Amino acid sequence: MKELEKNGLGGEIVNYDLATVFPIISGIELLYFNKNGPKQDNDIKSVLKDIPSTIIVQKCSMGDFCIVYQMGKHLPVYFSRYGCETALLINTEMLPKEDMQAFLEIWEFAQNMAGKFQLGQQFLVAKLCPQMKEIFEELQQIPFPPIMFRFYMQLKVYEILIQLSILNLYGTQVHFYPYQDIAREV
């Protein structure tokens, strides 16, 4: 898959530079990895992909689930086989409260998401409920030019955050796994 690159350990990681990037508001970007998603004329690169505190909500291209993890952490290699279709990058340090005044509950959830899911120590894998699956499908159907649909994209991002905020963390559709430890040579 083109969106993946070798991580030097025989595994693969998502190559965010190959994505079509849509900045939604400061601190939130939508990334598309497949050719069926919306296209953008200019070559925008992700600002959030290099910030370790960025949270990724990744819709896998194979299977009906998403992975939520923190940038800079290493997922086990076997998760690379599922690929990446769409990713939502959120950096809560850059997320201005005034841009989300109408959605304060979502802003508060986003601010606490890393702690709630304990993303510093583990990552979350959740089967997509029908509502969340529909949101990701709608994001894939945005017509050209997508810039005209920025507010629509923003609403869809908020819907994803709402769905994440109501996840039953103890249900059978949600699993937590430790990050892969990368042995460093001394």
Side-chain angles (χ1 to χ4, degrees):
M1 303 183 116
K2 198 172 184 182
E3 73 268 6
L4 300 173
E5 66 179 14
K6 294 289 180 190
N7 69 4
L9 299 169
E12 299 186 314
I13 58 172
V14 175
N15 185 346
Y16 296 99
D17 291 327
L18 295 177
T20 302
V21 179
F22 294 96
I24 304 299
I25 61 174
S26 178
I28 297 179
E29 298 173 343
L30 261 174
L31 283 67
Y32 293 89
F33 293 93
N34 63 9
K35 51 188 156 203
N36 297 331
K39 301 291 181 234
Q40 190 158 307
D41 287 337
N42 52 358
D43 194 24
I44 296 176
K45 297 294 180 193
S46 173
V47 174
L48 304 179
K49 72 176 179 67
D50 296 321
I51 304 172
S53 58
T54 297
I55 297 170
I56 300 104
V57 179
Q58 174 180 313
K59 185 341 188 139
C60 296
S61 53
M62 296 175 61
D64 289 338
F65 62 93
C66 70
I67 303 172
V68 181
Y69 60 102
Q70 195 165 356
M71 187 65 71
K73 301 290 185 174
H74 301 280
L75 299 179
V77 173
Y78 54 85
F79 278 97
S80 65
R81 69 179 173 202
Y82 296 106
C84 181
E85 181 176 282
T86 308
L88 168 62
L89 274 58
I90 304 168
N91 188 291
T92 57
E93 296 165 358
M94 298 173 67
L95 194 59
K97 188 174 184 177
E98 53 274 2
D99 283 352
M100 298 184 71
Q101 285 180 353
F103 307 99
L104 285 179
E105 289 178 7
I106 297 170
W107 183 82
E108 289 173 8
F109 168 74
Q111 294 298 314
N112 298 314
M113 188 167 39
K116 179 178 180 177
F117 297 150
Q118 298 179 13
L119 296 177
Q121 296 83 36
Q122 62 188 6
F123 64 98
L124 176 145
V125 177
K127 181 165 175 48
L128 295 175
C129 65
Q131 298 89 341
M132 203 156 169
K133 190 174 178 183
E134 184 178 331
I135 296 165
F136 279 110
E137 288 171 1
E138 290 170 345
L139 282 170
Q140 289 292 323
Q141 298 169 3
I142 295 173
F144 187 82
I147 297 302
M148 296 174 62
F149 294 90
R150 186 175 308 279
F151 183 70
Y152 176 77
M153 294 168 97
Q154 184 177 355
L155 289 176
K156 293 298 158 191
V157 166
Y158 294 163
E159 287 181 38
I160 290 170
L161 291 174
I162 289 170
Q163 290 299 317
L164 288 173
S165 74
I166 61 173
L167 271 180
N168 178 359
L169 301 182
Y170 304 103
T172 59
Q173 304 300 314
V174 176
H175 303 282
F176 291 94
Y177 300 97
Y179 293 110
Q180 180 177 350
D181 289 330
I182 303 297
R184 301 201 187 274
E185 293 182 25
V186 184

